[in-house]
Amino acid sequence: MKQYDVLVALYTIQKLMEKEEYEAVNELVENLISVYDKSEKIRVVNSVKKKSQTVNNISNDNWNDILIRFKEEFDIPDISYKCWIVPLSFESVDNDVLHLQYNGDMSDCAISYIKRRYLDLLSITIEEITGNTFQKIIISKPD
């Protein structure tokens, strides 16, 4: 329900109260509550849909697109891109946590470097493409 609609309803209630048309006021209030309940339900449903789309927005299918855009947007040199970024793969999304895996050499050292040098920039690209902001991005080694 928009602010304008609420103001119109309040003005109408005020006028009805002045005329002592309490039954009409009661009916209008019940309608307002019903409309509010519906709009609140829609808001909650949309929020849940957005959360469920997170998994659909990041997948193995579009992960390469995310990495390519990241390289282009932040002008990452080819050697750095191939060494540090290409070995990253999408694993999963758990609530607001994105799980990535580093499949390259020197994984402990590499993961530490990626977190320091590229993680903030990568999260910006992910947000731009998917519309989702993650509370945390975890990079792990293969099992």
Side-chain angles (χ1 to χ4, degrees):
M1 177 174 271
K2 296 181 180 173
Q3 186 177 4
Y4 174 79
D5 296 331
V6 172
L7 292 174
V8 169
L10 290 173
Y11 176 79
T12 304
I13 289 171
Q14 181 183 10
K15 291 299 178 189
L16 289 171
M17 293 289 286
E18 289 172 3
K19 295 179 184 176
E20 296 184 4
E21 295 183 24
Y22 301 116
E23 191 171 307
V25 169
N26 194 28
E27 186 177 319
L28 182 58
V29 168
E30 286 179 18
N31 286 337
L32 284 172
I33 291 170
S34 173
V35 168
Y36 175 78
D37 285 346
K38 286 178 187 173
S39 65
E40 181 64 13
K41 286 177 187 173
I42 290 170
R43 187 190 66 74
V44 169
V45 166
N46 287 339
S47 174
V48 169
K49 282 182 182 177
K50 184 178 179 188
K51 292 282 186 190
S52 68
Q53 288 173 348
T54 299
V55 176
N56 296 331
N57 287 342
I58 299 180
S59 66
N60 289 323
D61 295 336
N62 70 351
W63 180 245
N64 286 334
D65 296 335
I66 291 170
L67 295 183
I68 290 167
R69 179 147 171 209
F70 167 74
K71 179 186 185 308
E72 293 169 354
E73 187 170 327
F74 295 105
D75 199 26
I76 308 296
D78 286 341
I79 189 73
S80 296
Y81 179 74
K82 289 175 184 172
C83 182
W84 308 114
I85 306 305
V86 170
L88 288 173
S89 63
F90 167 76
E91 285 297 305
S92 65
V93 173
D94 183 25
N95 294 321
D96 286 337
V97 178
L98 173 62
H99 296 270
L100 304 177
Q101 187 173 73
Y102 182 77
N103 300 300
D105 297 330
M106 304 177 302
S107 55
D108 288 330
C109 178
I111 290 170
S112 177
Y113 180 76
I114 292 166
K115 286 179 180 178
R116 276 194 330 271
R117 177 74 175 94
Y118 297 113
L119 197 58
D120 289 340
L121 301 175
L122 185 59
S123 69
I124 291 168
T125 304
I126 292 168
E127 183 177 352
E128 287 175 352
I129 290 177
T130 67
N132 295 301
T133 304
F134 294 98
Q135 296 295 325
K136 191 172 190 180
I137 298 176
I138 296 175
I139 303 174
S140 61
K141 302 184 282 190
D143 293 331

